[in-house]
Amino acid sequence: MKYRREIDGLRTVAVGSVVLFHAGMPGFAGGYVGVDVFFVISGFLITTILLGDLEAGRFSVLTFYERRARRILPALSLVVLCTALAGALLMSPHQIGELAESVAATALFAANVYFWRSTDYFGTAAEEKPLLHMWSLAVEEQFYILFPLLLLVLWRWRPNRLQLWFLALAALSLALAEAGWRLKPWANFYLPTGRAWELLAGAMIAARLRGAAPEPSAAGRVLAPLGLALVIASIALIGEGTPYPSLWTAIPVAGTALLIRYAGPQDLAGRLLGLRPMVFVGLLSYSIYLWHQPLLAFARIELIGPPPLPAALGLMALSVPLAWLSWRFVERPFRTSPARGGFSRPAIFAMSGAAIGGMTALGVAIALSPQTVERIYVAALDAEGRARLEAIETAISSRTEEAAGRSECHIAVQYVDRAALDARLAPCVERYGKATLLLGDSHMGDLFGALAQAPEAPPFLLRIGRGGCVAHRRLWSQPTHPCAYDQVRDLVAARPELFSSVIYVESFALVTPDPFAPDPEDLRLELLDEALDWLAALPTPAPRVVIGPKETPLVDTRLLDPARDLAEQIAARAVDTAPVVARIGDAWRAGAEARGFLYLDLQATLGAAYPRDAILDGALAFHDADHWSLAALRRYGPPIAAALARTGAPGFL
């Protein structure tokens, strides 16, 4: 394959956009499209090499994976090792446990699956995950498990139809991506099904050029600059709110494909990309990509928030010399062929197995031994640090549902098993008569737990529901997350006189586009009417009571570092949710009163302000980012019960 300087320059555009996006550089809101540029380049280069081997009759799957091991694993192993050591020094026990899991996932090239199940790529918490960027490596390696074998089959069957086959497969993958962002956006973002078409776009160009450089042409002098313009425009114009990957992704993918297909020394785009500084950074791009995210993540952890832009840019500049060192002393030696004094194939496979096995064993051992990690961590703390750690652990362990239920007639179930539930309800009906029915998501779990701590609350409480289950049909009817609202309707229809009142509450987060960056001007308030209409349709004469949402600082208790002052950390991390909670509360009140429901302003009842009240007499008020701890349940239960009595809710009078 003929070496092309402009492709190394294109790598610089890709890694530069990703790095500046993560650093928070203005004008780079779509910098994450650099990953898509990498995917197209990778598909082109790998397919070109494989086609060269097939044409020369030397195709070998072992040779292919040997090349991948030489290219990927040495620098990856170094960065993962350094990241694990830094994490042991700078992270809290919980963060160390999560890092260990991501180390094992990275070693097994399953980081995309791990982060799909645990992390919003654009969320605030993602910024403190040092190995988050390994998801893209996992996508590539998963694609390359099957692609060489597929190419071999197609080569032997229809070698002259490769571009058509690649086009058909790419169209299928793009269709899955376009459907995926609507149905399963995070699975679509992280998994290879919605990304394969980007690598196949590069493969189509490879099948066209067959290792040759683009020939000068009038079309190329226009299309190559157009391709560069498309890539740059996508970096500037695509943003966090853009569905991705989707048809929007075709902009950077098409731009990259045009550059690979047409750019060369004969056109402006090729000359710009072929400049010596662009080529130099492009040669280091893989290592720069590996180093930049750990540097930024640890800076955010240490500063309890994003570093100032000059500091972030300084860290990104530091990734260049680190990348040069790992390229010069790690990447190059392992990529040298045995004929030139490099490592042999058996040695490469042996070291690769040792690296993968070592990283996996390290990650699994730490993830499965949190007590050992904590003992080591505690030994390094002073007396104040140990007290803070105890406060954190006490809060985390006080789950609301477990804390509730001091009375045998304080009943909480996720689903309705009529026979089992009737057996539990019968003695309570005989003793107390009617029940107060509590409905909603996990924030109703908080309310149930708080009322269960209050002597003024009714002795007979029935809470039906689970986290994420709200009375918006489009949300509760998801087959992957079944909720009990149809069962509740059937129960109420069968026993309409059982209930003294029906109380509903839910988190504000389900009607916000991003709860960690709430925008009062961008809310799905129409969902509230769905919930209110559902409540109104319940076949019972019992009064309905709607409780407005509560503010939370959205600071995950598990991320607090006991080695540092807790109040300062909470103040630095807290999100101001007051504006969005106030607007949603107003909508709840208006909708409830229009239907004749009672309404309770929970936030006004509590008078809590954050971050001030995130710590209550030395105890943390939340056991995670937005659910109350046992200390908060005990503090807030009595005033909530008293406020419901003032509102006129039956059972609280």
Side-chain angles (χ1 to χ4, degrees), residues 377-393 562-563:
Y377 190 90
V378 170
L381 293 174
D382 57 18
E384 291 183 356
R386 287 192 288 273
R388 288 190 288 263
L389 178 62
E390 182 178 358
I392 294 170
E393 291 180 332

PDB file of all heavy atoms in Angstrom, residues 377-393 562-563:
ATOM      1  N   TYR A 377      -7.555   1.641  51.864  1.00  0.00           N
ATOM      2  CA  TYR A 377      -7.880   3.063  51.778  1.00  0.00           C
ATOM      3  C   TYR A 377      -8.025   3.662  53.174  1.00  0.00           C
ATOM      4  O   TYR A 377      -7.498   4.739  53.461  1.00  0.00           O
ATOM      5  CB  TYR A 377      -9.175   3.228  50.985  1.00  0.00           C
ATOM      6  CG  TYR A 377      -9.506   4.641  50.629  1.00  0.00           C
ATOM      7  CD1 TYR A 377      -9.050   5.204  49.445  1.00  0.00           C
ATOM      8  CD2 TYR A 377     -10.280   5.439  51.470  1.00  0.00           C
ATOM      9  CE1 TYR A 377      -9.358   6.513  49.098  1.00  0.00           C
ATOM     10  CE2 TYR A 377     -10.585   6.741  51.138  1.00  0.00           C
ATOM     11  CZ  TYR A 377     -10.125   7.273  49.952  1.00  0.00           C
ATOM     12  OH  TYR A 377     -10.417   8.563  49.624  1.00  0.00           O
ATOM     13  N   VAL A 378      -8.738   2.975  54.048  1.00  0.00           N
ATOM     14  CA  VAL A 378      -8.986   3.484  55.398  1.00  0.00           C
ATOM     15  C   VAL A 378      -7.687   3.629  56.174  1.00  0.00           C
ATOM     16  O   VAL A 378      -7.509   4.563  56.957  1.00  0.00           O
ATOM     17  CB  VAL A 378      -9.970   2.564  56.145  1.00  0.00           C
ATOM     18  CG1 VAL A 378     -10.065   2.935  57.620  1.00  0.00           C
ATOM     19  CG2 VAL A 378     -11.342   2.631  55.504  1.00  0.00           C
ATOM     20  N   ALA A 379      -6.758   2.718  55.942  1.00  0.00           N
ATOM     21  CA  ALA A 379      -5.486   2.771  56.670  1.00  0.00           C
ATOM     22  C   ALA A 379      -4.738   4.070  56.403  1.00  0.00           C
ATOM     23  O   ALA A 379      -3.945   4.521  57.244  1.00  0.00           O
ATOM     24  CB  ALA A 379      -4.621   1.577  56.284  1.00  0.00           C
ATOM     25  N   ALA A 380      -4.998   4.682  55.259  1.00  0.00           N
ATOM     26  CA  ALA A 380      -4.300   5.922  54.916  1.00  0.00           C
ATOM     27  C   ALA A 380      -5.048   7.167  55.389  1.00  0.00           C
ATOM     28  O   ALA A 380      -4.538   8.280  55.225  1.00  0.00           O
ATOM     29  CB  ALA A 380      -4.094   5.999  53.406  1.00  0.00           C
ATOM     30  N   LEU A 381      -6.249   7.008  55.976  1.00  0.00           N
ATOM     31  CA  LEU A 381      -7.042   8.151  56.413  1.00  0.00           C
ATOM     32  C   LEU A 381      -6.721   8.536  57.852  1.00  0.00           C
ATOM     33  O   LEU A 381      -6.388   7.681  58.682  1.00  0.00           O
ATOM     34  CB  LEU A 381      -8.539   7.833  56.310  1.00  0.00           C
ATOM     35  CG  LEU A 381      -9.121   7.636  54.907  1.00  0.00           C
ATOM     36  CD1 LEU A 381     -10.577   7.186  55.015  1.00  0.00           C
ATOM     37  CD2 LEU A 381      -9.023   8.913  54.086  1.00  0.00           C
ATOM     38  N   ASP A 382      -6.871   9.832  58.172  1.00  0.00           N
ATOM     39  CA  ASP A 382      -6.771  10.267  59.557  1.00  0.00           C
ATOM     40  C   ASP A 382      -8.130  10.087  60.229  1.00  0.00           C
ATOM     41  O   ASP A 382      -9.082   9.586  59.624  1.00  0.00           O
ATOM     42  CB  ASP A 382      -6.289  11.715  59.641  1.00  0.00           C
ATOM     43  CG  ASP A 382      -7.194  12.686  58.875  1.00  0.00           C
ATOM     44  OD1 ASP A 382      -8.348  12.308  58.570  1.00  0.00           O
ATOM     45  OD2 ASP A 382      -6.751  13.814  58.595  1.00  0.00           O
ATOM     46  N   ALA A 383      -8.260  10.521  61.474  1.00  0.00           N
ATOM     47  CA  ALA A 383      -9.495  10.304  62.225  1.00  0.00           C
ATOM     48  C   ALA A 383     -10.672  11.011  61.566  1.00  0.00           C
ATOM     49  O   ALA A 383     -11.776  10.454  61.474  1.00  0.00           O
ATOM     50  CB  ALA A 383      -9.314  10.796  63.662  1.00  0.00           C
ATOM     51  N   GLU A 384     -10.470  12.239  61.081  1.00  0.00           N
ATOM     52  CA  GLU A 384     -11.555  12.957  60.421  1.00  0.00           C
ATOM     53  C   GLU A 384     -11.972  12.260  59.127  1.00  0.00           C
ATOM     54  O   GLU A 384     -13.152  12.183  58.807  1.00  0.00           O
ATOM     55  CB  GLU A 384     -11.133  14.399  60.134  1.00  0.00           C
ATOM     56  CG  GLU A 384     -10.981  15.263  61.378  1.00  0.00           C
ATOM     57  CD  GLU A 384     -10.638  16.698  61.021  1.00  0.00           C
ATOM     58  OE1 GLU A 384     -10.449  16.982  59.815  1.00  0.00           O
ATOM     59  OE2 GLU A 384     -10.547  17.526  61.938  1.00  0.00           O
ATOM     60  N   GLY A 385     -11.002  11.756  58.405  1.00  0.00           N
ATOM     61  CA  GLY A 385     -11.309  11.039  57.176  1.00  0.00           C
ATOM     62  C   GLY A 385     -12.115   9.787  57.437  1.00  0.00           C
ATOM     63  O   GLY A 385     -13.059   9.466  56.695  1.00  0.00           O
ATOM     64  N   ARG A 386     -11.777   9.073  58.531  1.00  0.00           N
ATOM     65  CA  ARG A 386     -12.534   7.867  58.856  1.00  0.00           C
ATOM     66  C   ARG A 386     -13.968   8.215  59.264  1.00  0.00           C
ATOM     67  O   ARG A 386     -14.905   7.483  58.953  1.00  0.00           O
ATOM     68  CB  ARG A 386     -11.821   7.077  59.949  1.00  0.00           C
ATOM     69  CG  ARG A 386     -10.561   6.365  59.447  1.00  0.00           C
ATOM     70  CD  ARG A 386     -10.042   5.370  60.462  1.00  0.00           C
ATOM     71  NE  ARG A 386      -9.435   6.040  61.612  1.00  0.00           N
ATOM     72  CZ  ARG A 386      -8.163   6.431  61.669  1.00  0.00           C
ATOM     73  NH1 ARG A 386      -7.372   6.233  60.629  1.00  0.00           N
ATOM     74  NH2 ARG A 386      -7.688   7.021  62.755  1.00  0.00           N
ATOM     75  N   ALA A 387     -14.138   9.347  59.937  1.00  0.00           N
ATOM     76  CA  ALA A 387     -15.488   9.778  60.304  1.00  0.00           C
ATOM     77  C   ALA A 387     -16.290  10.129  59.059  1.00  0.00           C
ATOM     78  O   ALA A 387     -17.482   9.800  58.953  1.00  0.00           O
ATOM     79  CB  ALA A 387     -15.410  10.972  61.248  1.00  0.00           C
ATOM     80  N   ARG A 388     -15.658  10.798  58.100  1.00  0.00           N
ATOM     81  CA  ARG A 388     -16.350  11.121  56.854  1.00  0.00           C
ATOM     82  C   ARG A 388     -16.699   9.855  56.087  1.00  0.00           C
ATOM     83  O   ARG A 388     -17.774   9.743  55.498  1.00  0.00           O
ATOM     84  CB  ARG A 388     -15.487  12.050  56.008  1.00  0.00           C
ATOM     85  CG  ARG A 388     -15.391  13.470  56.559  1.00  0.00           C
ATOM     86  CD  ARG A 388     -14.744  14.402  55.558  1.00  0.00           C
ATOM     87  NE  ARG A 388     -13.332  14.158  55.413  1.00  0.00           N
ATOM     88  CZ  ARG A 388     -12.370  14.834  56.039  1.00  0.00           C
ATOM     89  NH1 ARG A 388     -12.691  15.819  56.873  1.00  0.00           N
ATOM     90  NH2 ARG A 388     -11.102  14.563  55.829  1.00  0.00           N
ATOM     91  N   LEU A 389     -15.789   8.887  56.081  1.00  0.00           N
ATOM     92  CA  LEU A 389     -16.071   7.626  55.406  1.00  0.00           C
ATOM     93  C   LEU A 389     -17.257   6.922  56.047  1.00  0.00           C
ATOM     94  O   LEU A 389     -18.124   6.373  55.352  1.00  0.00           O
ATOM     95  CB  LEU A 389     -14.835   6.723  55.436  1.00  0.00           C
ATOM     96  CG  LEU A 389     -15.000   5.342  54.793  1.00  0.00           C
ATOM     97  CD1 LEU A 389     -15.328   5.482  53.305  1.00  0.00           C
ATOM     98  CD2 LEU A 389     -13.737   4.510  54.972  1.00  0.00           C
ATOM     99  N   GLU A 390     -17.339   6.959  57.374  1.00  0.00           N
ATOM    100  CA  GLU A 390     -18.471   6.335  58.061  1.00  0.00           C
ATOM    101  C   GLU A 390     -19.777   7.021  57.683  1.00  0.00           C
ATOM    102  O   GLU A 390     -20.802   6.356  57.468  1.00  0.00           O
ATOM    103  CB  GLU A 390     -18.263   6.397  59.574  1.00  0.00           C
ATOM    104  CG  GLU A 390     -19.377   5.714  60.356  1.00  0.00           C
ATOM    105  CD  GLU A 390     -19.140   5.734  61.857  1.00  0.00           C
ATOM    106  OE1 GLU A 390     -18.089   6.239  62.288  1.00  0.00           O
ATOM    107  OE2 GLU A 390     -20.027   5.248  62.594  1.00  0.00           O
ATOM    108  N   ALA A 391     -19.746   8.363  57.556  1.00  0.00           N
ATOM    109  CA  ALA A 391     -20.952   9.093  57.163  1.00  0.00           C
ATOM    110  C   ALA A 391     -21.385   8.702  55.753  1.00  0.00           C
ATOM    111  O   ALA A 391     -22.581   8.531  55.475  1.00  0.00           O
ATOM    112  CB  ALA A 391     -20.698  10.596  57.251  1.00  0.00           C
ATOM    113  N   ILE A 392     -20.421   8.559  54.858  1.00  0.00           N
ATOM    114  CA  ILE A 392     -20.730   8.159  53.481  1.00  0.00           C
ATOM    115  C   ILE A 392     -21.324   6.759  53.454  1.00  0.00           C
ATOM    116  O   ILE A 392     -22.351   6.506  52.814  1.00  0.00           O
ATOM    117  CB  ILE A 392     -19.467   8.233  52.611  1.00  0.00           C
ATOM    118  CG1 ILE A 392     -19.004   9.690  52.464  1.00  0.00           C
ATOM    119  CG2 ILE A 392     -19.712   7.621  51.238  1.00  0.00           C
ATOM    120  CD1 ILE A 392     -17.640   9.835  51.820  1.00  0.00           C
ATOM    121  N   GLU A 393     -20.677   5.833  54.154  1.00  0.00           N
ATOM    122  CA  GLU A 393     -21.149   4.449  54.137  1.00  0.00           C
ATOM    123  C   GLU A 393     -22.523   4.317  54.787  1.00  0.00           C
ATOM    124  O   GLU A 393     -23.364   3.534  54.334  1.00  0.00           O
ATOM    125  CB  GLU A 393     -20.132   3.558  54.845  1.00  0.00           C
ATOM    126  CG  GLU A 393     -18.823   3.410  54.079  1.00  0.00           C
ATOM    127  CD  GLU A 393     -17.837   2.520  54.796  1.00  0.00           C
ATOM    128  OE1 GLU A 393     -17.907   2.449  56.043  1.00  0.00           O
ATOM    129  OE2 GLU A 393     -16.991   1.910  54.119  1.00  0.00           O
ATOM    130  N   PRO A 562     -13.698  10.626  51.139  1.00  0.00           N
ATOM    131  CA  PRO A 562     -13.611  10.866  52.586  1.00  0.00           C
ATOM    132  C   PRO A 562     -12.319  11.546  53.011  1.00  0.00           C
ATOM    133  O   PRO A 562     -12.214  12.024  54.145  1.00  0.00           O
ATOM    134  CB  PRO A 562     -13.722   9.457  53.183  1.00  0.00           C
ATOM    135  CG  PRO A 562     -13.316   8.547  52.089  1.00  0.00           C
ATOM    136  CD  PRO A 562     -13.746   9.196  50.820  1.00  0.00           C
ATOM    137  N   ALA A 563     -11.344  11.614  52.139  1.00  0.00           N
ATOM    138  CA  ALA A 563     -10.105  12.301  52.481  1.00  0.00           C
ATOM    139  C   ALA A 563     -10.248  13.820  52.393  1.00  0.00           C
ATOM    140  O   ALA A 563      -9.329  14.547  52.770  1.00  0.00           O
ATOM    141  CB  ALA A 563      -8.974  11.828  51.567  1.00  0.00           C
TER     142      ALA A 563
END
